[in-house]
């Protein structure tokens, strides 16, 4: 089955370009489009896409607000923010509020398609150029209470968390830690349970926020 995609962006030309790009690949199916956040929420509820490509800054209901409504009602739908904003604050707000990933509009076509596949598979996706900004944003905070959290996790779970904070897939983590992918999945589930988190993206954010993204 193709990955069903909803495009939400207030620039008609940009939506058209993305649609033409993705329609060339039978892996993807564009099930709908919306020109603002409110329409995007309505269309998402009607169409129940696998992935929503969402612009951040739109008139009326912003992409961030629309994303929050979508993930609340459709937890199985992955929302990827696709924006020109390189502000660390926008990145952290999006991830903390449920975005599966954060991409920039100057992205390469192949990377975009890879990101959609990963998001549909439940993996977090963050533009490489934004990763350092994510870490620095949390490093400037004052809530780096690491000891209690370290005690909750086993050494292998902490290693898995470090890999997640780097945006690695299960296959990459398994290769780096020399374990089976099924073992990685177990570690991820244990981390989610122990830290009361609900997604891999939240694990990655939690890791850098609490200083657990480094050994």
């Amino acid at each position: 089955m193709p990955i069903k995609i909803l495009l939400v962006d207030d620039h008609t030309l940009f939506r058209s370009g993305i649609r033409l790009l993705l329609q060339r690949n039978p892996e993807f199916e564009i099930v709908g489009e919306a020109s603002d956040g409110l329409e995007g929420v309505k269309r998402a509820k009607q169409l129940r896409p696998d992935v929503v490509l969402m612009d951040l800054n739109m008139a009326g209901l912003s992409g961030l607000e629309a994303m929050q409504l979508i993930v609340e009602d459709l937890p199985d739908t992955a929302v990827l923010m696709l924006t020109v904003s390189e502000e660390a604050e926008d990145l952290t707000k999006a991830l903390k509020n449920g975005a599966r990933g954060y991409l920039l509009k100057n992205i390469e076509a192949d990377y975009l398609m890879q990101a959609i596949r990963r998001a549909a598979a439940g993996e977090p996706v963050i533009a490489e150029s934004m990763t350092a900004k994510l870490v620095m944003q949390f490093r400037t905070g004052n809530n780096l209470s690491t000891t209690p959290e370290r005690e909750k996790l086993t050494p292998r779970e902490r290693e898995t968390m470090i890999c997640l904070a780097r945006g690695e897939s299960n296959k990459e983590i398994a290769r780096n830690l020399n374990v089976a992918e099924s073992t990685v999945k177990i570690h991820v589930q244990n981390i989610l349970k122990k830290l009361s988190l609900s997604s891999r993206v939240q694990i990655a954010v939690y890791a850098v926020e609490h200083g657990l993204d480094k050994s």
Side-chain angles (χ1 to χ4, degrees):
M1 296 290 291
I3 298 172
K4 297 184 294 183
I5 301 169
L6 173 66
L7 306 177
V8 184
D9 195 289
D10 56 358
H11 289 89
T12 304
L13 187 61
F14 183 78
R15 291 200 316 273
S16 298
I18 295 296
R19 183 180 68 250
L20 290 173
L21 170 68
L22 297 179
Q23 283 179 336
R24 297 173 184 170
N25 192 320
E27 289 183 76
F28 308 119
E29 178 186 358
I30 307 300
V31 295
E33 298 182 29
S35 59
D36 58 62
L38 182 58
E39 183 184 1
V41 173
K42 292 179 180 178
R43 297 287 281 166
K45 292 180 179 180
Q46 292 169 351
L47 301 169
R48 307 184 74 85
D50 300 308
V51 175
V52 177
L53 293 180
M54 176 81 70
D55 189 16
L56 182 65
N57 297 311
M58 295 180 287
L61 193 69
S62 71
L64 181 63
E65 294 168 324
M67 179 268 297
Q68 290 175 282
L69 293 174
I70 291 173
V71 298
E72 181 178 339
D73 289 343
L74 303 172
D76 293 331
T77 294
V79 179
L80 286 179
M81 308 307 295
L82 187 56
T83 175
V84 297
S85 175
E86 298 186 42
E87 295 297 324
E89 185 176 356
D90 287 335
L91 169 65
T92 54
K93 282 182 179 179
L95 296 181
K96 281 187 172 182
N97 287 282
R100 186 73 56 83
Y102 194 97
L103 305 173
L104 300 177
K105 286 188 175 180
N106 61 3
I107 190 173
E108 295 288 338
D110 288 344
Y111 190 92
L112 173 61
M113 289 186 282
Q114 180 186 20
I116 292 172
R117 295 186 193 101
R118 291 181 61 179
E123 299 178 13
V125 186
I126 302 174
E128 293 181 4
S129 61
M130 297 298 294
T131 303
K133 293 186 179 184
L134 174 65
V135 174
M136 289 303 299
Q137 176 77 356
F138 288 119
R139 284 285 174 267
T140 57
N142 298 315
N143 54 346
L144 302 180
S145 54
T146 65
T147 303
E149 281 69 26
R150 285 187 182 276
E151 292 176 352
K152 291 180 182 179
L153 305 176
T154 67
R156 188 58 98 183
E157 288 166 356
R158 289 200 294 271
E159 290 176 337
T160 301
M161 176 173 271
I162 292 170
C163 294
L164 289 171
R166 294 172 182 159
E168 295 179 8
S169 66
N170 283 352
K171 182 178 294 186
E172 291 169 328
I173 296 173
R175 184 173 61 249
N176 290 337
L177 300 185
N178 195 28
V179 298
E181 282 190 59
S182 58
T183 302
V184 174
K185 292 178 181 179
I186 293 172
H187 289 326
V188 172
Q189 290 303 315
N190 287 341
I191 295 169
L192 290 170
K193 183 176 181 180
K194 289 181 179 181
L195 301 182
S196 299
L197 302 173
S198 60
S199 72
R200 294 166 62 97
V201 171
Q202 288 186 1
I203 292 177
V205 172
Y206 188 99
V208 293
E209 187 173 19
H210 291 80
L212 300 175
D213 60 312
K214 57 184 181 177
S215 56

